[in-house]
Amino acid sequence: MNKLALFDCDGTLVDSQANICAAVEEAFALHGVAIPERAAIRRIVGLSLVEAMRGLLPAAGDAQHRAMAEDYKLAFQRMRATGALADEPLFEGMIAALDAIEADGWVLGVATGKSDRGLAHVLDLHGIRQRFVTLQTADRHPSKPHPSMIALAMAEAGATPETTVMIGDTSYDMLMGRNAGTRALGVAWGYHPAAELIACGAHAVAERVADLPGLMRG
């Protein structure tokens, strides 16, 4: 069986909060509702869009949540078409960490709340899409922390729960890993605090990107 290192994207591989916050703010403005603080928006990064809107505006109904999710997508598309997207940089040291993890015999995958299109864009931007043997997105799965993404990723990568590590920056990632029966490794440079990751089941939390390969061996 292969060893699978399954990464979240936003807040784990790349810092994409500026674009996510801008798209959420535009969607809320279009619906004439109070725009949430950016700290609140960062809290829902990683969820599927409808779940994210539900989390930010719980008093609204399902139809409005779905409409706002569509407006979020349209806002992102407009930003991309007009060149208004902010940079979504890889966190410093990530390429070296991926190199070291692969050298230790792991195959790589992604499990993200992004769409197929959004994930392809960011991976192609950094020239790393070919490194990942399995790409799981919100287009084909229930929202995190449902374990569906991990289950299909393991099937595609030839891995088992015992040989898989879910790596992410949010409580949703840690709970998804636990729900799938895998190890869960948190990262401290993303959008949820390390203490929350531990409380939600992280086996360990990497304080720096350079710590990832060593924690994978643990």
Side-chain angles (χ1 to χ4, degrees):
M1 284 292 173
N2 287 324
K3 297 190 301 180
L4 172 62
L6 191 58
F7 287 83
D8 170 56
C9 185
D10 299 316
T12 302
L13 291 172
V14 302
D15 188 1
S16 50
Q17 61 177 296
N19 292 325
I20 292 170
C21 289
V24 168
E25 289 163 355
E26 182 170 332
F28 270 67
L30 285 171
H31 284 259
V33 293
I35 295 172
E37 297 290 332
R38 288 203 163 189
I41 298 173
R42 286 191 292 270
R43 291 283 313 159
I44 54 80
V45 173
L47 295 175
S48 297
L49 285 177
V50 175
E51 291 299 319
M53 297 304 173
R54 186 173 293 122
L56 289 169
L57 195 65
D62 183 67
Q64 185 171 0
H65 292 144
R66 293 183 182 281
M68 293 175 75
E70 288 303 313
D71 285 331
Y72 173 98
K73 292 179 186 177
L74 291 173
F76 230 100
Q77 290 169 14
R78 281 193 293 272
M79 289 191 294
R80 183 177 293 118
T82 60
L85 284 179
D87 289 340
E88 295 184 331
L90 287 168
F91 286 102
E92 186 175 355
M94 189 58 67
I95 294 297
L98 295 178
D99 287 343
I101 290 167
E102 286 186 296
D104 283 341
W106 296 85
V107 297
L108 308 180
V110 177
T112 177
K114 281 186 177 298
S115 66
D116 288 334
R117 181 177 180 177
L119 178 60
H121 172 78
V122 74
L123 296 183
D124 286 341
L125 178 68
H126 297 294
I128 59 173
R129 180 159 37 158
Q130 73 283 355
R131 302 186 75 147
F132 299 96
V133 302
T134 180
L135 300 173
Q136 306 302 324
T137 75
D139 286 346
R140 297 181 303 284
H141 296 280
S143 181
K144 297 175 182 180
H146 192 285
S148 174
M149 288 189 194
I150 296 182
L152 186 53
M154 291 188 298
E156 290 184 355
T160 67
E162 294 76 20
T163 64
T164 298
V165 179
M166 179 65 216
I167 304 157
D169 69 302
T170 70
S171 57
Y172 319 125
D173 297 311
M174 302 301 98
L175 291 168
M176 183 171 68
R178 286 295 195 169
N179 288 341
T182 72
R183 283 175 62 204
L185 177 57
V187 304
W189 51 84
Y191 307 144
H192 287 189
E196 185 174 348
L197 303 182
I198 293 292
C200 289
H203 293 84
V205 175
E207 292 295 329
R208 303 173 304 137
V209 174
D211 295 334
L212 277 174
L215 288 174
M216 298 290 289
R217 302 178 191 119

